[in-house]
């Protein structure tokens, strides 16, 4: 078992619990003890793509943590909570409700490289302690701004329930602000972000930018690195694997986590050298990162080519 299970994680399940579920199912399927890890924590209140690596694929978990992610998220305006999500006490309120046009006008401010202050309720360590542990104790938590990149940020579609009841409104009226028409209680956005980005902080700052306050009521990860929702399976389908369902219905090969890197075909001699961790010279390929494969198309290693010399970045024991 060297590959991936891409789980569509439901709300309420923690990432560690999801890893435990995969280990249990593998035992039920008679696979014995399998090394398992995940490729990026997803909060219990969030749902969506959680890549879970098995066997040699766990060597790619660090790379998956560094990968960009895509999220759909809903901002509810008028209330800010301590955790910036649907749980936690209310810490601020506002009567201001923005129009769609006002929201769209501020989105460019949050696109590209930005500085972002993480939520106090986060796993960041302060003097050796998790920020959320300090916050839960009622201690003042000073979070330092960090640099992140928002590759894209767009309106994901207007939820009709977020618009005050006014039968017959046109799209132009929803966008406008004549007599208060088109004021939104919430909006759903899609963001493609770099590692280290906190969507809850992004939602908070967008709400501030339109003169209100807000918190996240829905958060769904639709892509993590090369993996998208279309490849994800439900918990029910995962459990079915433990009861005898075909491996092909739940399992992706190790190289599925390498599709965003070019493949490099290795000669038998080069593959043998790379498996031994040796440097190989005389490679006719551009400088950069590749995944080397042998004559049977099996992944041998992540390799780096520099001036015709090939070095091992991470080897696979396949």
């Amino acid at each position: 078992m060297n590959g991936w299970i891409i789980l569509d994680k439901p709300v309420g399940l923690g990432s560690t619990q999801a890893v435990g579920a995969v280990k249990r199912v593998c035992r039920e399927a008679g696979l014995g003890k399998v090394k398992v890890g995940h490729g990026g924590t997803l909060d219990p209140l969030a749902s969506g793509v959680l890549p879970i690596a098995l066997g040699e694929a766990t060597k790619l978990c660090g790379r998956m943590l560094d990968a960009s992610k895509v999220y759909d998220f809903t901002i509810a305006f008028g209330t800010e909570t301590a955790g910036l999500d649907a749980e936690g006490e209310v810490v601020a309120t506002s009567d201001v409700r923005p129009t769609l046009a006002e929201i769209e006008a501020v989105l460019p401010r949050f696109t590209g490289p930005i500085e972002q202050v993480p939520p106090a309720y986060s796993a960041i360590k302060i003097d050796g302690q998790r920020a959320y542990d300090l916050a839960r104790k009622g201690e003042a938590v000073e979070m330092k701004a960090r640099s992140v990149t928002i590759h894209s940020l767009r309106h994901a579609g207007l939820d009709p329930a977020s618009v005050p009841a006014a039968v017959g409104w046109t799209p132009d009226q929803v966008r406008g602000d004549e007599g208060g028409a088109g004021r939104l209680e919430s909006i759903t956005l899609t963001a493609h972000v770099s590692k280290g980005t906190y969507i809850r902080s992004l939602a908070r700052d967008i709400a501030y930018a339109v003169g209100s306050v807000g918190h996240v009521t829905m958060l769904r990860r639709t892509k993590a690195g090369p993996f998208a929702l279309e490849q994800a399976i439900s918990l029910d389908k995962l459990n079915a694997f433990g009861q005898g369902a075909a491996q092909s219905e739940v399992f992706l090969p190790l190289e599925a986590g390498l599709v965003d890197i070019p493949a490099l075909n290795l000669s038998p001699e080069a593959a043998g050298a790379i498996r031994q961790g040796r440097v190989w010279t005389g490679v006719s390929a551009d400088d950069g990162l590749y995944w080397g494969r042998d004559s049977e198309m099996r992944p041998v290693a992540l390799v780096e080519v520099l001036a015709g010399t090939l070095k091992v970045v991470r080897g696979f024991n396949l």
Side-chain angles (χ1 to χ4, degrees):
M1 292 292 287
N2 300 293
W4 303 89
I5 290 175
I6 312 304
L7 187 65
D8 185 352
K9 189 193 80 63
V11 172
L13 187 73
S15 299
T16 302
Q17 291 173 303
V19 168
V22 170
K23 289 181 177 179
R24 171 183 54 77
V25 166
C26 286
R27 289 194 300 270
E28 292 173 350
L31 299 174
K33 189 175 181 179
V34 180
K35 189 175 183 181
V36 180
H38 65 75
T41 300
L42 197 56
D43 290 346
L45 290 179
S47 67
V49 175
L50 179 63
I52 298 180
L54 294 88
E56 288 295 289
T58 57
K59 293 179 178 179
L60 297 172
C61 282
R63 184 174 176 273
M64 203 60 58
L65 292 171
D66 290 340
S68 64
K69 316 284 193 303
V70 179
Y71 295 90
D72 289 343
F73 63 104
T74 300
I75 310 172
F77 296 105
T79 305
E80 181 178 326
T81 63
L84 301 177
D85 55 25
E87 292 187 346
E89 63 178 320
V90 174
V91 296
T93 60
S94 172
D95 293 330
V96 175
R97 301 294 185 272
T99 64
L100 180 57
E102 289 170 341
I103 294 168
E104 290 180 331
V106 303
L107 294 186
R109 300 187 206 171
F110 300 97
T111 305
I114 66 169
E115 291 290 311
Q116 181 185 77
V117 177
Y121 284 82
S122 64
I124 294 173
K125 285 191 174 182
I126 300 176
D127 297 328
Q129 296 188 65
R130 298 290 186 186
Y132 54 65
D133 288 332
L134 296 172
R136 286 167 184 159
K137 293 176 185 177
E139 297 184 24
V141 180
E142 183 179 351
M143 307 300 294
K144 295 182 179 179
R146 56 169 58 187
S147 298
V148 297
T149 300
I150 312 299
H151 301 292
S152 65
L153 180 62
R154 61 181 176 81
H155 172 223
L158 191 65
D159 177 3
S162 75
V163 183
V167 177
W169 274 9
T170 66
D172 287 340
Q173 286 173 311
V174 171
R175 286 176 172 274
D177 185 30
E178 296 180 6
R183 294 285 172 179
L184 303 182
E185 295 293 328
S186 65
I187 194 168
T188 299
L189 303 174
T190 297
H192 177 199
V193 304
S194 70
K195 70 170 184 176
T197 301
Y198 280 91
I199 297 298
R200 288 175 290 155
S201 293
L202 181 61
R204 172 200 62 202
D205 296 342
I206 290 171
Y208 287 169
V210 295
S212 186
V213 296
H215 67 279
V216 171
T217 57
M218 184 281 292
L219 178 59
R220 183 159 175 77
R221 187 155 69 192
T222 60
K223 192 172 184 183
F227 299 117
L229 270 176
E230 293 75 18
Q231 298 161 290
I233 63 170
S234 66
L235 270 182
D236 287 343
K237 198 165 188 177
L238 174 66
N239 290 328
F241 175 55
Q243 304 303 315
Q247 181 175 312
S248 59
E249 294 184 11
V250 302
F251 194 71
L252 296 176
L254 181 148
E255 51 266 37
L258 298 171
V259 295
D260 54 341
I261 302 175
L264 182 64
N265 294 324
L266 303 174
S267 68
E269 296 78 16
I274 293 303
R275 285 193 172 105
Q276 295 172 7
R278 292 189 281 124
V279 172
W280 187 260
T281 58
V283 177
S284 57
D286 294 335
D287 291 355
L289 185 69
Y290 296 82
W291 65 277
R293 59 189 181 188
D294 63 16
S295 58
E296 297 181 12
M297 300 293 106
R298 292 176 302 186
V300 175
L302 276 179
V303 295
E304 184 179 21
V305 175
L306 184 61
T309 298
L310 191 155
K311 295 182 179 180
V312 177
V313 175
R314 199 68 193 263
F316 303 121
N317 297 317
L318 300 175

